[in-house]
Amino acid sequence: MSEKVSASQVTIVPWSESDLELLRLINAPEMMEHLGGPETEEQLAIRHKRYLEISGKGKGHMFSIVLLPDREAVGSIGYWDSHWQGEHVYEVGWSVLPGFQGRGLASSALQAAISHASSEAKFPWMHAFPSIHNPASNAVCRKLNFRLMSECEFEYPPGHFMQCNDWRLELAESPSAD
């Protein structure tokens, strides 16, 4: 296993035009194993456009995960508005490239995304839905104090159903400005 990195060596950067190549790397079969398989180039272009526009629409944020000091893009993370079991929540998802997995990057990036979402004070809950067959992503949820709510069937991508764990985190409320 590669050496762990400290949280100070990981940052999240708003998704940009230049991140299309990162999205292509994330689309590798081994990266998409738990998510219904790789997407076509046309599907990637649509996803990339959605990632670029999400912040401007006020519906969430997408980021590249960047390893410092070299500013190397090593994955993606984002959260977006979702509706789950009758509630408006944030849904969060992430991917870390194979050569960088197991070093604590996902946990550090997720902590940064949680802080970002908390500062918006839009929804009280953030949910993650990793496949029950993805021990690494489930471990990240556990490490960051998400609460395992239940196992569930989740549709992702559209038309593909998978067994997931529903992890929930209460977001810190921002102090009101009186």
Side-chain angles (χ1 to χ4, degrees), residues 59-128:
K59 299 291 184 182
H61 295 276
M62 282 304 301
F63 305 93
S64 57
I65 302 170
V66 176
L67 185 58
L68 301 174
D70 298 332
R71 301 199 56 79
E72 183 175 7
V74 297
S76 67
I77 191 162
Y79 62 90
W80 49 92
D81 297 8
S82 191
H83 195 82
W84 180 247
Q85 297 180 337
E87 291 187 294
H88 292 285
V89 300
Y90 280 127
E91 182 180 336
V92 64
W94 59 89
S95 295
V96 174
L97 296 173
F100 298 92
Q101 293 174 2
R103 299 172 62 187
L105 292 146
S107 297
S108 294
L110 181 53
Q111 187 59 61
I114 290 166
S115 294
H116 196 276
S118 292
S119 73
E120 293 181 341
K122 185 175 181 181
F123 301 130
W125 304 107
M126 178 177 276
H127 286 255

Side-chain angles (χ1 to χ4, degrees), residues 135-160:
S137 287
N138 283 287
V140 169
C141 292
R142 195 174 299 107
K143 179 178 179 181
L144 291 178
N145 299 315
F146 279 69
R147 180 174 172 218
L148 180 59
M149 302 304 292
S150 67
E151 192 174 301
C152 61
E153 187 173 67
F154 199 78
E155 186 177 13
Y156 185 85
H160 177 264

Side-chain angles (χ1 to χ4, degrees), residues 2-105:
S2 300
E3 72 181 58
K4 297 280 184 191
V5 297
S6 71
S8 65
Q9 294 175 279
V10 179
T11 191
I12 58 174
V13 176
W15 197 261
S16 70
E17 270 306 329
S18 64
D19 288 319
L20 179 57
E21 186 54 36
L22 174 61
L23 193 56
R24 287 184 178 120
L25 293 172
I26 290 169
N27 193 49
E30 65 273 15
M31 293 288 296
M32 299 300 289
E33 175 184 1
H34 300 291
L35 299 171
E39 295 179 306
T40 65
E41 188 63 30
E42 181 181 358
Q43 289 169 317
L44 284 181
I46 292 167
R47 177 181 297 278
H48 181 58
K49 184 176 188 286
R50 190 170 66 244
Y51 285 4
L52 288 169
E53 295 174 349
I54 192 170
S55 294
K57 292 179 177 181
K59 299 291 184 182
H61 295 276
M62 282 304 301
F63 305 93
S64 57
I65 302 170
V66 176
L67 185 58
L68 301 174
D70 298 332
R71 301 199 56 79
E72 183 175 7
V74 297
S76 67
I77 191 162
Y79 62 90
W80 49 92
D81 297 8
S82 191
H83 195 82
W84 180 247
Q85 297 180 337
E87 291 187 294
H88 292 285
V89 300
Y90 280 127
E91 182 180 336
V92 64
W94 59 89
S95 295
V96 174
L97 296 173
F100 298 92
Q101 293 174 2
R103 299 172 62 187
L105 292 146

